[in-house]
Amino acid sequence: MNTFVQEHGVVAAWEELMMPTLHAVGRKWESSGDRYVEVEHLLSWHVSTALRNAQLLLGPGEARKAGPPVLLACVPGEQHTLPLEAVHAALLQRGRPVRMLGAAVPAEALIAAVLRTGPAAVVLWSQTRSLASTPLALHLLGMGWGVNGARQQAALVLAGPGWRGGRIEGAAQPQGLREAIALLAPESSGLSE
């Protein structure tokens, strides 16, 4: 896995190796009556390790850009972080400032982090439809920060299969890692608005 990341980068490693392998192991686990769960956990650990080490494997990447960070968080109750870890690694590779909050971020904590960090974008991950929180997404879309007269607002990116089938006006819903990175860290400039 590390060699693939080194030779092809984070996005290609995620799309061509990590995600297909995770899906194959997940299908095997689902069809075997909970056998092989240890294989899925072992694979997930190695994927996470490779993603967290991607910056070391790839070298410094692009020069770190100035500006507000992209804030990454899972919806409350969501434990699946690997796709967000891929976003994190790919944004670092592009030199984009990024803050990872991780799994199952309580709504109040996410709102406080948005107010405290003033991000350029918030990526909210949901694996399942039952956890995708439309009220939270709408609240984030309506939030601003900064002094009166100079308020700013983060772009909201709803990522993951949990958001599919619904549409929230004003929020981006990329279909995969490549599309999310093109939106959050275009190669020609900073964050697109």
Side-chain angles (χ1 to χ4, degrees):
M1 216 170 301
N2 289 340
T3 302
F4 199 98
V5 170
Q6 282 178 308
E7 292 177 6
H8 303 286
V10 171
V11 174
W14 178 255
E15 292 178 344
E16 297 172 27
L17 177 66
M18 295 171 178
M19 193 171 53
T21 305
L22 286 163
H23 283 165
V25 169
R27 282 191 303 275
K28 181 72 172 172
W29 172 66
E30 286 176 355
S31 68
S32 68
D34 281 345
R35 289 181 51 215
Y36 305 107
V37 70
E38 74 282 4
V39 174
E40 185 176 22
H41 283 252
L42 178 69
L43 178 60
S44 294
W45 188 84
H46 283 284
V47 166
S48 180
T49 300
L51 290 169
R52 290 183 187 190
N53 289 329
Q55 202 168 18
L56 297 171
L57 295 169
L58 294 167
E62 291 185 25
R64 188 133 178 121
K65 294 173 178 65
V70 173
L71 195 62
L72 307 175
C74 290
V75 295
E78 179 61 69
Q79 297 297 323
H80 295 90
T81 62
L82 287 179
L84 271 188
E85 291 179 43
V87 172
H88 182 264
L91 288 174
L92 287 176
Q93 186 179 357
R94 291 266 181 105
R96 185 86 183 124
V98 61
R99 302 288 178 270
M100 167 66 105
L101 298 182
V105 179
E108 301 79 21
L110 178 59
I111 291 164
V114 169
L115 291 171
R116 194 169 36 256
T117 63
V122 176
V123 178
L124 197 54
W125 173 264
S126 180
Q127 183 72 24
T128 61
R129 185 79 185 128
S130 63
L131 292 175
S133 174
T134 299
L136 177 58
L138 291 172
H139 184 80
L140 291 170
L141 277 170
M143 282 182 63
W145 63 87
V147 297
N148 286 333
R151 292 223 185 268
Q152 297 179 355
Q153 186 177 19
L156 180 60
V157 177
L158 303 175
W163 297 105
R164 290 191 191 128
R167 189 84 195 129
I168 297 178
E169 190 66 35
Q173 291 183 258
Q175 296 303 304
L177 179 60
R178 190 173 303 274
E179 189 178 328
I181 298 308
L183 174 71
L184 295 165
E187 296 205 41
S188 61
S189 64
L191 179 68
S192 66
E193 311 233 26

